[in-house]
Amino acid sequence: MYIFTTLLIIHIVVGSICLLAGAMAATVKKKKGYHTLNGEIYHAGYVVIFITSILMAILNWSESAYLFYIAIFSYSLALFGYLARKLLWQNWLAMHIGGMLGSYIGIITAVLVVNGSQIPLVNEIPVLWLWFIPTIIGTPIIFIVGRRYSSPDQTKVKEVVK
């Protein structure tokens, strides 16, 4: 189990960095600089979280198979949002916002589902609810942020690209 413990330590440390970088990227001004730096850290961290999640799920399949599926789904969203911006797909900004914030909902969900029983007050919430609360709260936020950056004259989009 030495391999599993090592993967878990890496997963926790990088996951903490990823949570912080994602929060920073979401809250700072959307232009090159802090947003881009935190976004790159977030994406790189998510790659590590994805790989360690997959490996830990495989090593401990009977107890952790669900982490395999969360990892694939959540990282797919992160990659989608990341590539939308990097490759400047048509309507890239909406895809970027949806993918990145959607992946952040995924990481929050995983943290709550795995650790919820050990977090005061959260441990009072039924486990099934922990699977849905981040999505219930996060989805309207994605729409609000998306609407904020989808102005008809595209001035906000121009600011983000600069």
Side-chain angles (χ1 to χ4, degrees), residues 42-43 46-47 49-51 54 67-84 89 95-96 98-104 106-107:
Y42 175 77
H43 181 255
Y46 225 112
V47 170
I49 291 169
F50 172 66
I51 293 168
I54 295 294
L67 294 175
F68 180 86
Y69 301 106
I70 291 175
I72 289 173
F73 181 71
S74 297
Y75 182 65
S76 295
L77 288 169
L79 183 61
F80 178 77
Y82 184 78
L83 290 176
W89 293 337
M95 292 181 206
H96 177 70
M100 298 313 270
L101 291 179
S103 70
Y104 201 76
I107 197 171

PDB file of all heavy atoms in Angstrom, residues 42-43 46-47 49-51 54 67-84 89 95-96 98-104 106-107:
ATOM      1  N   TYR A  42      -4.183  25.747 -12.034  1.00  0.00           N
ATOM      2  CA  TYR A  42      -5.393  24.950 -11.830  1.00  0.00           C
ATOM      3  C   TYR A  42      -5.429  23.768 -12.799  1.00  0.00           C
ATOM      4  O   TYR A  42      -5.643  22.627 -12.401  1.00  0.00           O
ATOM      5  CB  TYR A  42      -6.632  25.834 -12.019  1.00  0.00           C
ATOM      6  CG  TYR A  42      -7.946  25.094 -11.940  1.00  0.00           C
ATOM      7  CD1 TYR A  42      -8.466  24.707 -10.719  1.00  0.00           C
ATOM      8  CD2 TYR A  42      -8.689  24.800 -13.087  1.00  0.00           C
ATOM      9  CE1 TYR A  42      -9.682  24.038 -10.633  1.00  0.00           C
ATOM     10  CE2 TYR A  42      -9.895  24.142 -13.010  1.00  0.00           C
ATOM     11  CZ  TYR A  42     -10.390  23.762 -11.774  1.00  0.00           C
ATOM     12  OH  TYR A  42     -11.583  23.099 -11.701  1.00  0.00           O
ATOM     13  N   HIS A  43      -5.194  24.045 -14.082  1.00  0.00           N
ATOM     14  CA  HIS A  43      -5.253  22.966 -15.069  1.00  0.00           C
ATOM     15  C   HIS A  43      -4.153  21.935 -14.830  1.00  0.00           C
ATOM     16  O   HIS A  43      -4.412  20.730 -14.869  1.00  0.00           O
ATOM     17  CB  HIS A  43      -5.172  23.507 -16.499  1.00  0.00           C
ATOM     18  CG  HIS A  43      -5.257  22.416 -17.504  1.00  0.00           C
ATOM     19  ND1 HIS A  43      -4.162  21.974 -18.190  1.00  0.00           N
ATOM     20  CD2 HIS A  43      -6.308  21.637 -17.899  1.00  0.00           C
ATOM     21  CE1 HIS A  43      -4.531  20.968 -18.982  1.00  0.00           C
ATOM     22  NE2 HIS A  43      -5.812  20.747 -18.822  1.00  0.00           N
ATOM     23  N   TYR A  46      -5.069  19.888 -11.958  1.00  0.00           N
ATOM     24  CA  TYR A  46      -6.168  18.976 -12.283  1.00  0.00           C
ATOM     25  C   TYR A  46      -5.656  17.748 -13.033  1.00  0.00           C
ATOM     26  O   TYR A  46      -6.174  16.647 -12.854  1.00  0.00           O
ATOM     27  CB  TYR A  46      -7.246  19.684 -13.103  1.00  0.00           C
ATOM     28  CG  TYR A  46      -8.642  19.384 -12.632  1.00  0.00           C
ATOM     29  CD1 TYR A  46      -9.425  20.360 -12.051  1.00  0.00           C
ATOM     30  CD2 TYR A  46      -9.196  18.112 -12.768  1.00  0.00           C
ATOM     31  CE1 TYR A  46     -10.721  20.098 -11.616  1.00  0.00           C
ATOM     32  CE2 TYR A  46     -10.469  17.842 -12.337  1.00  0.00           C
ATOM     33  CZ  TYR A  46     -11.231  18.825 -11.763  1.00  0.00           C
ATOM     34  OH  TYR A  46     -12.504  18.552 -11.332  1.00  0.00           O
ATOM     35  N   VAL A  47      -4.638  17.935 -13.855  1.00  0.00           N
ATOM     36  CA  VAL A  47      -4.040  16.781 -14.551  1.00  0.00           C
ATOM     37  C   VAL A  47      -3.490  15.792 -13.517  1.00  0.00           C
ATOM     38  O   VAL A  47      -3.720  14.583 -13.610  1.00  0.00           O
ATOM     39  CB  VAL A  47      -2.931  17.232 -15.534  1.00  0.00           C
ATOM     40  CG1 VAL A  47      -2.156  16.037 -16.065  1.00  0.00           C
ATOM     41  CG2 VAL A  47      -3.521  18.038 -16.677  1.00  0.00           C
ATOM     42  N   ILE A  49      -4.347  15.560 -10.315  1.00  0.00           N
ATOM     43  CA  ILE A  49      -5.481  15.000  -9.573  1.00  0.00           C
ATOM     44  C   ILE A  49      -6.154  13.898 -10.387  1.00  0.00           C
ATOM     45  O   ILE A  49      -6.503  12.842  -9.858  1.00  0.00           O
ATOM     46  CB  ILE A  49      -6.507  16.102  -9.232  1.00  0.00           C
ATOM     47  CG1 ILE A  49      -5.936  17.055  -8.199  1.00  0.00           C
ATOM     48  CG2 ILE A  49      -7.816  15.503  -8.717  1.00  0.00           C
ATOM     49  CD1 ILE A  49      -6.771  18.295  -8.019  1.00  0.00           C
ATOM     50  N   PHE A  50      -6.327  14.140 -11.671  1.00  0.00           N
ATOM     51  CA  PHE A  50      -6.941  13.158 -12.559  1.00  0.00           C
ATOM     52  C   PHE A  50      -6.136  11.853 -12.564  1.00  0.00           C
ATOM     53  O   PHE A  50      -6.681  10.770 -12.349  1.00  0.00           O
ATOM     54  CB  PHE A  50      -7.036  13.736 -13.972  1.00  0.00           C
ATOM     55  CG  PHE A  50      -7.466  12.761 -15.020  1.00  0.00           C
ATOM     56  CD1 PHE A  50      -8.736  12.222 -15.009  1.00  0.00           C
ATOM     57  CD2 PHE A  50      -6.594  12.384 -16.024  1.00  0.00           C
ATOM     58  CE1 PHE A  50      -9.141  11.313 -15.987  1.00  0.00           C
ATOM     59  CE2 PHE A  50      -6.979  11.481 -16.998  1.00  0.00           C
ATOM     60  CZ  PHE A  50      -8.256  10.939 -16.979  1.00  0.00           C
ATOM     61  N   ILE A  51      -4.841  11.976 -12.771  1.00  0.00           N
ATOM     62  CA  ILE A  51      -3.987  10.780 -12.844  1.00  0.00           C
ATOM     63  C   ILE A  51      -3.976  10.035 -11.508  1.00  0.00           C
ATOM     64  O   ILE A  51      -4.132   8.805 -11.474  1.00  0.00           O
ATOM     65  CB  ILE A  51      -2.564  11.158 -13.296  1.00  0.00           C
ATOM     66  CG1 ILE A  51      -2.592  11.640 -14.749  1.00  0.00           C
ATOM     67  CG2 ILE A  51      -1.594   9.992 -13.113  1.00  0.00           C
ATOM     68  CD1 ILE A  51      -1.313  12.318 -15.212  1.00  0.00           C
ATOM     69  N   ILE A  54      -7.372   8.272 -10.870  1.00  0.00           N
ATOM     70  CA  ILE A  54      -7.517   7.061 -11.693  1.00  0.00           C
ATOM     71  C   ILE A  54      -6.690   5.913 -11.100  1.00  0.00           C
ATOM     72  O   ILE A  54      -7.190   4.795 -10.925  1.00  0.00           O
ATOM     73  CB  ILE A  54      -7.085   7.342 -13.161  1.00  0.00           C
ATOM     74  CG1 ILE A  54      -8.016   8.352 -13.824  1.00  0.00           C
ATOM     75  CG2 ILE A  54      -6.989   6.051 -13.967  1.00  0.00           C
ATOM     76  CD1 ILE A  54      -9.438   7.888 -14.022  1.00  0.00           C
ATOM     77  N   LEU A  67     -14.661   7.100  -7.741  1.00  0.00           N
ATOM     78  CA  LEU A  67     -13.677   8.165  -7.975  1.00  0.00           C
ATOM     79  C   LEU A  67     -13.148   8.131  -9.409  1.00  0.00           C
ATOM     80  O   LEU A  67     -12.807   9.167  -9.973  1.00  0.00           O
ATOM     81  CB  LEU A  67     -12.509   8.040  -6.989  1.00  0.00           C
ATOM     82  CG  LEU A  67     -12.857   8.273  -5.525  1.00  0.00           C
ATOM     83  CD1 LEU A  67     -11.644   8.000  -4.655  1.00  0.00           C
ATOM     84  CD2 LEU A  67     -13.384   9.669  -5.306  1.00  0.00           C
ATOM     85  N   PHE A  68     -13.079   6.960  -9.969  1.00  0.00           N
ATOM     86  CA  PHE A  68     -12.650   6.796 -11.352  1.00  0.00           C
ATOM     87  C   PHE A  68     -13.570   7.598 -12.281  1.00  0.00           C
ATOM     88  O   PHE A  68     -13.117   8.349 -13.137  1.00  0.00           O
ATOM     89  CB  PHE A  68     -12.682   5.301 -11.706  1.00  0.00           C
ATOM     90  CG  PHE A  68     -12.257   4.967 -13.097  1.00  0.00           C
ATOM     91  CD1 PHE A  68     -10.923   4.772 -13.390  1.00  0.00           C
ATOM     92  CD2 PHE A  68     -13.194   4.813 -14.114  1.00  0.00           C
ATOM     93  CE1 PHE A  68     -10.521   4.440 -14.685  1.00  0.00           C
ATOM     94  CE2 PHE A  68     -12.812   4.485 -15.397  1.00  0.00           C
ATOM     95  CZ  PHE A  68     -11.462   4.302 -15.684  1.00  0.00           C
ATOM     96  N   TYR A  69     -14.869   7.453 -12.061  1.00  0.00           N
ATOM     97  CA  TYR A  69     -15.849   8.123 -12.919  1.00  0.00           C
ATOM     98  C   TYR A  69     -15.916   9.631 -12.655  1.00  0.00           C
ATOM     99  O   TYR A  69     -16.047  10.422 -13.589  1.00  0.00           O
ATOM    100  CB  TYR A  69     -17.217   7.463 -12.761  1.00  0.00           C
ATOM    101  CG  TYR A  69     -17.144   5.995 -13.117  1.00  0.00           C
ATOM    102  CD1 TYR A  69     -17.179   5.009 -12.139  1.00  0.00           C
ATOM    103  CD2 TYR A  69     -16.970   5.595 -14.436  1.00  0.00           C
ATOM    104  CE1 TYR A  69     -17.070   3.668 -12.467  1.00  0.00           C
ATOM    105  CE2 TYR A  69     -16.864   4.254 -14.775  1.00  0.00           C
ATOM    106  CZ  TYR A  69     -16.909   3.301 -13.791  1.00  0.00           C
ATOM    107  OH  TYR A  69     -16.796   1.985 -14.115  1.00  0.00           O
ATOM    108  N   ILE A  70     -15.804  10.022 -11.385  1.00  0.00           N
ATOM    109  CA  ILE A  70     -15.756  11.455 -11.077  1.00  0.00           C
ATOM    110  C   ILE A  70     -14.539  12.080 -11.745  1.00  0.00           C
ATOM    111  O   ILE A  70     -14.621  13.166 -12.328  1.00  0.00           O
ATOM    112  CB  ILE A  70     -15.694  11.706  -9.551  1.00  0.00           C
ATOM    113  CG1 ILE A  70     -16.996  11.318  -8.880  1.00  0.00           C
ATOM    114  CG2 ILE A  70     -15.395  13.182  -9.264  1.00  0.00           C
ATOM    115  CD1 ILE A  70     -16.943  11.427  -7.356  1.00  0.00           C
ATOM    116  N   ALA A  71     -13.400  11.393 -11.670  1.00  0.00           N
ATOM    117  CA  ALA A  71     -12.156  11.921 -12.248  1.00  0.00           C
ATOM    118  C   ALA A  71     -12.289  12.116 -13.757  1.00  0.00           C
ATOM    119  O   ALA A  71     -11.907  13.170 -14.289  1.00  0.00           O
ATOM    120  CB  ALA A  71     -10.989  10.983 -11.935  1.00  0.00           C
ATOM    121  N   ILE A  72     -12.820  11.132 -14.436  1.00  0.00           N
ATOM    122  CA  ILE A  72     -12.970  11.238 -15.891  1.00  0.00           C
ATOM    123  C   ILE A  72     -13.925  12.378 -16.256  1.00  0.00           C
ATOM    124  O   ILE A  72     -13.608  13.215 -17.102  1.00  0.00           O
ATOM    125  CB  ILE A  72     -13.454   9.905 -16.505  1.00  0.00           C
ATOM    126  CG1 ILE A  72     -12.333   8.873 -16.438  1.00  0.00           C
ATOM    127  CG2 ILE A  72     -13.928  10.096 -17.943  1.00  0.00           C
ATOM    128  CD1 ILE A  72     -12.720   7.479 -16.850  1.00  0.00           C
ATOM    129  N   PHE A  73     -15.064  12.430 -15.613  1.00  0.00           N
ATOM    130  CA  PHE A  73     -16.056  13.465 -15.926  1.00  0.00           C
ATOM    131  C   PHE A  73     -15.521  14.858 -15.598  1.00  0.00           C
ATOM    132  O   PHE A  73     -15.591  15.777 -16.423  1.00  0.00           O
ATOM    133  CB  PHE A  73     -17.358  13.196 -15.176  1.00  0.00           C
ATOM    134  CG  PHE A  73     -18.423  14.212 -15.465  1.00  0.00           C
ATOM    135  CD1 PHE A  73     -19.053  14.243 -16.693  1.00  0.00           C
ATOM    136  CD2 PHE A  73     -18.774  15.143 -14.509  1.00  0.00           C
ATOM    137  CE1 PHE A  73     -20.034  15.188 -16.972  1.00  0.00           C
ATOM    138  CE2 PHE A  73     -19.751  16.089 -14.770  1.00  0.00           C
ATOM    139  CZ  PHE A  73     -20.380  16.118 -16.005  1.00  0.00           C
ATOM    140  N   SER A  74     -14.964  15.021 -14.404  1.00  0.00           N
ATOM    141  CA  SER A  74     -14.497  16.341 -13.976  1.00  0.00           C
ATOM    142  C   SER A  74     -13.328  16.832 -14.815  1.00  0.00           C
ATOM    143  O   SER A  74     -13.295  17.997 -15.221  1.00  0.00           O
ATOM    144  CB  SER A  74     -14.080  16.303 -12.505  1.00  0.00           C
ATOM    145  OG  SER A  74     -15.178  16.005 -11.695  1.00  0.00           O
ATOM    146  N   TYR A  75     -12.364  15.938 -15.085  1.00  0.00           N
ATOM    147  CA  TYR A  75     -11.234  16.394 -15.891  1.00  0.00           C
ATOM    148  C   TYR A  75     -11.659  16.658 -17.332  1.00  0.00           C
ATOM    149  O   TYR A  75     -11.119  17.556 -17.983  1.00  0.00           O
ATOM    150  CB  TYR A  75     -10.045  15.438 -15.856  1.00  0.00           C
ATOM    151  CG  TYR A  75      -8.920  16.014 -16.677  1.00  0.00           C
ATOM    152  CD1 TYR A  75      -8.303  17.198 -16.284  1.00  0.00           C
ATOM    153  CD2 TYR A  75      -8.539  15.446 -17.887  1.00  0.00           C
ATOM    154  CE1 TYR A  75      -7.320  17.792 -17.058  1.00  0.00           C
ATOM    155  CE2 TYR A  75      -7.561  16.034 -18.665  1.00  0.00           C
ATOM    156  CZ  TYR A  75      -6.957  17.202 -18.248  1.00  0.00           C
ATOM    157  OH  TYR A  75      -5.997  17.797 -19.023  1.00  0.00           O
ATOM    158  N   SER A  76     -12.645  15.931 -17.825  1.00  0.00           N
ATOM    159  CA  SER A  76     -13.154  16.210 -19.169  1.00  0.00           C
ATOM    160  C   SER A  76     -13.664  17.643 -19.260  1.00  0.00           C
ATOM    161  O   SER A  76     -13.413  18.348 -20.246  1.00  0.00           O
ATOM    162  CB  SER A  76     -14.282  15.250 -19.536  1.00  0.00           C
ATOM    163  OG  SER A  76     -13.804  13.934 -19.608  1.00  0.00           O
ATOM    164  N   LEU A  77     -14.355  18.096 -18.227  1.00  0.00           N
ATOM    165  CA  LEU A  77     -14.834  19.479 -18.196  1.00  0.00           C
ATOM    166  C   LEU A  77     -13.667  20.465 -18.154  1.00  0.00           C
ATOM    167  O   LEU A  77     -13.671  21.477 -18.859  1.00  0.00           O
ATOM    168  CB  LEU A  77     -15.758  19.702 -16.999  1.00  0.00           C
ATOM    169  CG  LEU A  77     -17.131  19.049 -17.080  1.00  0.00           C
ATOM    170  CD1 LEU A  77     -17.843  19.123 -15.733  1.00  0.00           C
ATOM    171  CD2 LEU A  77     -17.965  19.704 -18.166  1.00  0.00           C
ATOM    172  N   ALA A  78     -12.673  20.173 -17.300  1.00  0.00           N
ATOM    173  CA  ALA A  78     -11.500  21.061 -17.194  1.00  0.00           C
ATOM    174  C   ALA A  78     -10.771  21.137 -18.532  1.00  0.00           C
ATOM    175  O   ALA A  78     -10.390  22.232 -18.983  1.00  0.00           O
ATOM    176  CB  ALA A  78     -10.556  20.576 -16.094  1.00  0.00           C
ATOM    177  N   LEU A  79     -10.570  20.004 -19.172  1.00  0.00           N
ATOM    178  CA  LEU A  79      -9.872  19.979 -20.459  1.00  0.00           C
ATOM    179  C   LEU A  79     -10.676  20.718 -21.524  1.00  0.00           C
ATOM    180  O   LEU A  79     -10.114  21.477 -22.324  1.00  0.00           O
ATOM    181  CB  LEU A  79      -9.602  18.538 -20.889  1.00  0.00           C
ATOM    182  CG  LEU A  79      -8.820  18.351 -22.183  1.00  0.00           C
ATOM    183  CD1 LEU A  79      -7.438  18.986 -22.079  1.00  0.00           C
ATOM    184  CD2 LEU A  79      -8.712  16.871 -22.526  1.00  0.00           C
ATOM    185  N   PHE A  80     -11.974  20.518 -21.532  1.00  0.00           N
ATOM    186  CA  PHE A  80     -12.858  21.203 -22.476  1.00  0.00           C
ATOM    187  C   PHE A  80     -12.727  22.721 -22.315  1.00  0.00           C
ATOM    188  O   PHE A  80     -12.535  23.454 -23.291  1.00  0.00           O
ATOM    189  CB  PHE A  80     -14.303  20.750 -22.246  1.00  0.00           C
ATOM    190  CG  PHE A  80     -15.310  21.420 -23.120  1.00  0.00           C
ATOM    191  CD1 PHE A  80     -15.454  21.048 -24.451  1.00  0.00           C
ATOM    192  CD2 PHE A  80     -16.132  22.415 -22.626  1.00  0.00           C
ATOM    193  CE1 PHE A  80     -16.391  21.662 -25.264  1.00  0.00           C
ATOM    194  CE2 PHE A  80     -17.076  23.034 -23.424  1.00  0.00           C
ATOM    195  CZ  PHE A  80     -17.197  22.659 -24.748  1.00  0.00           C
ATOM    196  N   GLY A  81     -12.830  23.202 -21.081  1.00  0.00           N
ATOM    197  CA  GLY A  81     -12.713  24.637 -20.822  1.00  0.00           C
ATOM    198  C   GLY A  81     -11.349  25.184 -21.162  1.00  0.00           C
ATOM    199  O   GLY A  81     -11.211  26.282 -21.712  1.00  0.00           O
ATOM    200  N   TYR A  82     -10.326  24.411 -20.869  1.00  0.00           N
ATOM    201  CA  TYR A  82      -8.945  24.813 -21.142  1.00  0.00           C
ATOM    202  C   TYR A  82      -8.698  24.912 -22.649  1.00  0.00           C
ATOM    203  O   TYR A  82      -8.177  25.911 -23.140  1.00  0.00           O
ATOM    204  CB  TYR A  82      -8.005  23.797 -20.500  1.00  0.00           C
ATOM    205  CG  TYR A  82      -6.545  24.118 -20.623  1.00  0.00           C
ATOM    206  CD1 TYR A  82      -5.948  25.069 -19.799  1.00  0.00           C
ATOM    207  CD2 TYR A  82      -5.743  23.450 -21.548  1.00  0.00           C
ATOM    208  CE1 TYR A  82      -4.591  25.354 -19.896  1.00  0.00           C
ATOM    209  CE2 TYR A  82      -4.394  23.732 -21.651  1.00  0.00           C
ATOM    210  CZ  TYR A  82      -3.821  24.681 -20.824  1.00  0.00           C
ATOM    211  OH  TYR A  82      -2.475  24.954 -20.930  1.00  0.00           O
ATOM    212  N   LEU A  83      -9.089  23.880 -23.378  1.00  0.00           N
ATOM    213  CA  LEU A  83      -8.870  23.871 -24.832  1.00  0.00           C
ATOM    214  C   LEU A  83      -9.717  24.917 -25.552  1.00  0.00           C
ATOM    215  O   LEU A  83      -9.272  25.487 -26.558  1.00  0.00           O
ATOM    216  CB  LEU A  83      -9.156  22.481 -25.406  1.00  0.00           C
ATOM    217  CG  LEU A  83      -8.154  21.401 -25.039  1.00  0.00           C
ATOM    218  CD1 LEU A  83      -8.600  20.046 -25.591  1.00  0.00           C
ATOM    219  CD2 LEU A  83      -6.754  21.749 -25.517  1.00  0.00           C
ATOM    220  N   ALA A  84     -10.921  25.176 -25.045  1.00  0.00           N
ATOM    221  CA  ALA A  84     -11.776  26.197 -25.669  1.00  0.00           C
ATOM    222  C   ALA A  84     -11.051  27.535 -25.706  1.00  0.00           C
ATOM    223  O   ALA A  84     -11.083  28.241 -26.717  1.00  0.00           O
ATOM    224  CB  ALA A  84     -13.090  26.323 -24.913  1.00  0.00           C
ATOM    225  N   TRP A  89     -11.944  28.349 -29.831  1.00  0.00           N
ATOM    226  CA  TRP A  89     -13.076  27.811 -30.556  1.00  0.00           C
ATOM    227  C   TRP A  89     -14.155  28.873 -30.673  1.00  0.00           C
ATOM    228  O   TRP A  89     -14.205  29.819 -29.888  1.00  0.00           O
ATOM    229  CB  TRP A  89     -13.662  26.616 -29.816  1.00  0.00           C
ATOM    230  CG  TRP A  89     -12.761  25.418 -29.768  1.00  0.00           C
ATOM    231  CD1 TRP A  89     -11.749  25.115 -30.615  1.00  0.00           C
ATOM    232  CD2 TRP A  89     -12.804  24.371 -28.800  1.00  0.00           C
ATOM    233  NE1 TRP A  89     -11.155  23.936 -30.248  1.00  0.00           N
ATOM    234  CE2 TRP A  89     -11.789  23.454 -29.143  1.00  0.00           C
ATOM    235  CE3 TRP A  89     -13.603  24.103 -27.699  1.00  0.00           C
ATOM    236  CZ2 TRP A  89     -11.556  22.302 -28.406  1.00  0.00           C
ATOM    237  CZ3 TRP A  89     -13.373  22.962 -26.975  1.00  0.00           C
ATOM    238  CH2 TRP A  89     -12.358  22.070 -27.328  1.00  0.00           C
ATOM    239  N   MET A  95     -17.790  28.338 -23.455  1.00  0.00           N
ATOM    240  CA  MET A  95     -17.282  26.980 -23.242  1.00  0.00           C
ATOM    241  C   MET A  95     -16.209  26.966 -22.147  1.00  0.00           C
ATOM    242  O   MET A  95     -16.161  26.049 -21.326  1.00  0.00           O
ATOM    243  CB  MET A  95     -16.714  26.421 -24.540  1.00  0.00           C
ATOM    244  CG  MET A  95     -17.739  26.170 -25.591  1.00  0.00           C
ATOM    245  SD  MET A  95     -16.919  25.499 -27.041  1.00  0.00           S
ATOM    246  CE  MET A  95     -18.028  25.997 -28.314  1.00  0.00           C
ATOM    247  N   HIS A  96     -15.366  27.977 -22.155  1.00  0.00           N
ATOM    248  CA  HIS A  96     -14.305  28.091 -21.150  1.00  0.00           C
ATOM    249  C   HIS A  96     -14.920  28.237 -19.752  1.00  0.00           C
ATOM    250  O   HIS A  96     -14.545  27.512 -18.830  1.00  0.00           O
ATOM    251  CB  HIS A  96     -13.411  29.293 -21.477  1.00  0.00           C
ATOM    252  CG  HIS A  96     -12.341  29.538 -20.475  1.00  0.00           C
ATOM    253  ND1 HIS A  96     -11.263  28.698 -20.324  1.00  0.00           N
ATOM    254  CD2 HIS A  96     -12.175  30.541 -19.569  1.00  0.00           C
ATOM    255  CE1 HIS A  96     -10.474  29.176 -19.367  1.00  0.00           C
ATOM    256  NE2 HIS A  96     -11.015  30.299 -18.891  1.00  0.00           N
ATOM    257  N   GLY A  98     -18.024  27.521 -18.743  1.00  0.00           N
ATOM    258  CA  GLY A  98     -18.764  26.310 -18.385  1.00  0.00           C
ATOM    259  C   GLY A  98     -17.858  25.154 -18.016  1.00  0.00           C
ATOM    260  O   GLY A  98     -18.094  24.455 -17.029  1.00  0.00           O
ATOM    261  N   GLY A  99     -16.814  24.949 -18.806  1.00  0.00           N
ATOM    262  CA  GLY A  99     -15.896  23.840 -18.544  1.00  0.00           C
ATOM    263  C   GLY A  99     -15.103  24.019 -17.264  1.00  0.00           C
ATOM    264  O   GLY A  99     -15.008  23.098 -16.446  1.00  0.00           O
ATOM    265  N   MET A 100     -14.545  25.195 -17.082  1.00  0.00           N
ATOM    266  CA  MET A 100     -13.706  25.414 -15.907  1.00  0.00           C
ATOM    267  C   MET A 100     -14.533  25.437 -14.622  1.00  0.00           C
ATOM    268  O   MET A 100     -14.168  24.794 -13.638  1.00  0.00           O
ATOM    269  CB  MET A 100     -12.896  26.706 -16.048  1.00  0.00           C
ATOM    270  CG  MET A 100     -11.942  26.691 -17.236  1.00  0.00           C
ATOM    271  SD  MET A 100     -10.944  25.193 -17.402  1.00  0.00           S
ATOM    272  CE  MET A 100      -9.534  25.627 -16.440  1.00  0.00           C
ATOM    273  N   LEU A 101     -15.640  26.156 -14.629  1.00  0.00           N
ATOM    274  CA  LEU A 101     -16.478  26.180 -13.422  1.00  0.00           C
ATOM    275  C   LEU A 101     -17.154  24.823 -13.191  1.00  0.00           C
ATOM    276  O   LEU A 101     -17.320  24.395 -12.058  1.00  0.00           O
ATOM    277  CB  LEU A 101     -17.504  27.303 -13.491  1.00  0.00           C
ATOM    278  CG  LEU A 101     -16.933  28.720 -13.392  1.00  0.00           C
ATOM    279  CD1 LEU A 101     -18.038  29.764 -13.507  1.00  0.00           C
ATOM    280  CD2 LEU A 101     -16.145  28.917 -12.108  1.00  0.00           C
ATOM    281  N   GLY A 102     -17.501  24.138 -14.268  1.00  0.00           N
ATOM    282  CA  GLY A 102     -18.060  22.798 -14.131  1.00  0.00           C
ATOM    283  C   GLY A 102     -17.062  21.835 -13.497  1.00  0.00           C
ATOM    284  O   GLY A 102     -17.417  21.016 -12.639  1.00  0.00           O
ATOM    285  N   SER A 103     -15.797  21.949 -13.900  1.00  0.00           N
ATOM    286  CA  SER A 103     -14.768  21.090 -13.304  1.00  0.00           C
ATOM    287  C   SER A 103     -14.547  21.445 -11.838  1.00  0.00           C
ATOM    288  O   SER A 103     -14.260  20.573 -11.016  1.00  0.00           O
ATOM    289  CB  SER A 103     -13.463  21.178 -14.090  1.00  0.00           C
ATOM    290  OG  SER A 103     -12.836  22.436 -13.927  1.00  0.00           O
ATOM    291  N   TYR A 104     -14.697  22.727 -11.504  1.00  0.00           N
ATOM    292  CA  TYR A 104     -14.550  23.140 -10.102  1.00  0.00           C
ATOM    293  C   TYR A 104     -15.689  22.561  -9.261  1.00  0.00           C
ATOM    294  O   TYR A 104     -15.469  22.126  -8.132  1.00  0.00           O
ATOM    295  CB  TYR A 104     -14.510  24.670  -9.991  1.00  0.00           C
ATOM    296  CG  TYR A 104     -13.880  25.147  -8.702  1.00  0.00           C
ATOM    297  CD1 TYR A 104     -12.501  25.106  -8.524  1.00  0.00           C
ATOM    298  CD2 TYR A 104     -14.660  25.625  -7.661  1.00  0.00           C
ATOM    299  CE1 TYR A 104     -11.920  25.536  -7.344  1.00  0.00           C
ATOM    300  CE2 TYR A 104     -14.089  26.049  -6.474  1.00  0.00           C
ATOM    301  CZ  TYR A 104     -12.719  26.003  -6.320  1.00  0.00           C
ATOM    302  OH  TYR A 104     -12.145  26.413  -5.141  1.00  0.00           O
ATOM    303  N   GLY A 106     -16.998  19.751  -9.899  1.00  0.00           N
ATOM    304  CA  GLY A 106     -16.589  18.349  -9.764  1.00  0.00           C
ATOM    305  C   GLY A 106     -15.608  18.136  -8.630  1.00  0.00           C
ATOM    306  O   GLY A 106     -15.732  17.176  -7.852  1.00  0.00           O
ATOM    307  N   ILE A 107     -14.630  19.016  -8.512  1.00  0.00           N
ATOM    308  CA  ILE A 107     -13.624  18.846  -7.460  1.00  0.00           C
ATOM    309  C   ILE A 107     -14.236  19.102  -6.087  1.00  0.00           C
ATOM    310  O   ILE A 107     -13.924  18.405  -5.114  1.00  0.00           O
ATOM    311  CB  ILE A 107     -12.367  19.713  -7.727  1.00  0.00           C
ATOM    312  CG1 ILE A 107     -11.193  19.224  -6.882  1.00  0.00           C
ATOM    313  CG2 ILE A 107     -12.609  21.160  -7.473  1.00  0.00           C
ATOM    314  CD1 ILE A 107      -9.872  19.875  -7.235  1.00  0.00           C
TER     315      ILE A 107
END
